[in-house]
Amino acid sequence: MHYLVTTNLSHIPKNHQIIMVDGTVPGWQPRFDDLHWDHHRLGGAEIQIDEMPIPKTKLVEDFATTQPTCIVTPQVDADACCAAAWVQMPREVLLRSQVVDRLRAIAWDCDHLMVPEELNHLAEFALKAVAAMKSFGSAIATELQLSPDRQTWTPEDWERYMSISFQRSTEWLMAAAVGDRAWPGEQGEADNYLKELETDAQQLIVQQRIRLIPTSCGLVGICNLKGIGRYIDPRAFYKSLTVIADIQALRSETLVIREHKNGGTQYTLGCLPTHSQTPNLDYTSSTFERLTLAELIKNPHAEGWGGRRTVGGSGWNTPSQLSPEEIVELIG
């Protein structure tokens, strides 16, 4: 099995059957024998595997062709890895309720930083699993001899790092599902990561990276991660917000600012997971469209904004030209 994490259409192999999960590479259109599952759409499922069928045998076998297969996602995370595992695991494994529940809990924690009520008994498991998979990436970066300062990575470095992370995390989940390996986080792999998360939350406050933008409907929390040079878990941002503000007094929308891989600015439009108004959010209904139109006014060649109901962001391949204040005004 080949794995690829890319936002570049020209990097997708033409001599492979493509299985696209958890997002769509800009400009890509599936051929008749490609498989495409993406919950980032109006009315899409809350997690990727809820958008996917139960196989007759394995999904990769149910839809097999004579070509080699490549699983592609535009951005690696635990939800994408659960989806990649799903397409390769046999029906008898996926029919085990414990396996499905664990994969769903991991995907929910990844995408929503919480689990639904029916999976509350797996909340701590999912938190540690996602954290373990994220911490796993640090070892891969070291193995590839990449600089600790991610701002120095080339696009090729990023693609190689993310593709290997995608493969190894997916293989970890598959091995755990059949009992050949402990699930991520079950052997303490996440402990240091979670401790560092608390430190990061404090540093965001000390470095004055959190600010609140007033609107007629309340304050919107903004986090500026430019110049840090390493990954900061969104949980650190939300933890810091709870220190400086009453969460329920804020609007449910949040905005994170970081460097774009091609220079300039990239935004992630998210939400406060436990906010009372978060269930009412749906960025796919018109918000992404308004933000895309605003980008196109400033740059006719800009990629659009996109994502799912409660999280998304600016274009993968073109930096945003909008200011945080313009974005906050456009989200309504």
Side-chain angles (χ1 to χ4, degrees):
M1 180 62 66
H2 299 271
Y3 295 78
L4 177 64
V5 179
T6 189
T7 60
N8 192 320
L9 179 62
S10 66
H11 292 189
I12 298 176
K14 294 181 173 59
N15 60 341
H16 285 59
Q17 179 193 31
I18 302 302
I19 301 178
M20 184 80 67
V21 297
D22 199 30
T24 305
V25 172
W28 180 77
Q29 293 293 328
R31 298 165 299 183
F32 73 96
D33 56 356
D34 291 333
L35 302 178
H36 185 212
W37 290 290
D38 185 0
H39 69 130
H40 299 79
R41 59 181 179 81
L42 182 63
E46 296 286 1
I47 55 174
Q48 181 59 69
I49 58 176
D50 282 356
E51 195 91 16
M52 299 166 67
I54 294 285
K56 296 176 182 177
T57 55
K58 298 179 183 178
L59 286 178
V60 289
E61 294 179 359
D62 293 348
F63 298 96
T65 70
T66 57
Q67 294 180 311
T69 302
C70 183
I71 303 179
V72 182
T73 189
Q75 186 173 355
V76 64
D77 62 15
D79 185 40
C81 295
C82 287
W86 189 276
V87 302
Q88 298 178 79
M89 288 196 292
R91 178 184 179 88
E92 59 267 24
V93 174
L94 292 178
L95 288 179
R96 299 173 191 165
S97 61
Q98 183 189 43
V99 170
V100 173
D101 285 352
R102 287 183 174 232
L103 290 175
R104 293 190 72 244
I106 291 170
W108 263 92
D109 185 88
C110 168
D111 274 7
H112 304 280
L113 307 185
M114 59 180 294
V115 298
E117 185 176 354
E118 70 269 18
L119 296 174
N120 273 344
H121 62 291
L122 291 171
E124 183 177 359
F125 159 81
L127 168 64
K128 290 185 175 182
V130 172
M133 293 167 73
K134 289 180 177 179
S135 62
F136 189 44
S138 298
I140 294 172
T142 301
E143 175 187 327
L144 296 176
Q145 298 183 327
L146 296 174
S147 168
D149 183 357
R150 297 189 178 197
Q151 293 177 94
T152 67
W153 292 8
T154 66
E156 292 76 19
D157 290 336
W158 274 108
E159 191 166 294
R160 187 162 57 117
Y161 163 78
M162 291 190 294
S163 297
I164 291 174
S165 297
F166 186 29
Q167 176 176 352
R168 292 190 184 173
S169 292
T170 299
E171 290 173 347
W172 192 351
L173 292 174
M174 290 192 293
V178 297
D180 290 343
R181 186 175 179 182
W183 288 87
E186 287 191 327
Q187 296 185 324
E189 303 97 335
D191 294 352
N192 287 337
Y193 181 92
L194 294 174
K195 290 178 183 177
E196 291 172 0
L197 191 152
E198 299 289 342
T199 302
D200 286 343
Q202 296 172 15
Q203 288 301 308
L204 291 176
I205 297 172
V206 171
Q207 296 176 8
Q208 299 183 332
R209 293 182 174 275
I210 309 296
R211 67 186 177 107
L212 305 175
I213 294 182
T215 73
S216 59
C217 302
L219 300 167
V220 175
I222 310 292
C223 182
N224 188 346
L225 299 180
K226 281 192 169 185
I228 290 182
R230 61 184 179 86
Y231 175 75
I232 300 293
D233 195 300
R235 280 189 172 86
F237 171 30
Y238 299 144
K239 283 180 176 291
S240 63
L241 272 180
T242 64
V243 174
I244 66 175
D246 176 3
I247 293 299
Q248 296 304 327
L250 300 176
R251 287 179 52 161
S252 57
E253 301 95 330
T254 60
L255 188 66
V256 174
I257 308 166
R258 55 174 56 88
E259 287 96 354
H260 193 280
K261 64 182 179 181
N262 295 326
T265 300
Q266 184 162 24
Y267 293 105
T268 298
L269 182 61
C271 65
L272 296 169
T274 59
H275 195 284
S276 60
Q277 293 303 309
T278 292
N280 299 324
L281 283 180
D282 189 353
Y283 295 139
T284 65
S285 63
S286 62
T287 302
F288 293 142
E289 182 180 0
R290 290 197 302 271
L291 289 164
T292 295
L293 290 174
E295 291 284 6
L296 291 172
I297 290 172
K298 298 198 175 194
N299 175 12
H301 303 290
E303 264 181 14
W305 285 60
R308 51 185 171 77
R309 188 179 62 82
T310 57
V311 69
S314 56
W316 279 311
N317 296 311
T318 56
S320 175
Q321 302 298 314
L322 300 177
S323 69
E325 289 77 12
E326 289 173 317
I327 295 168
V328 168
E329 182 177 354
L330 287 164
I331 62 178

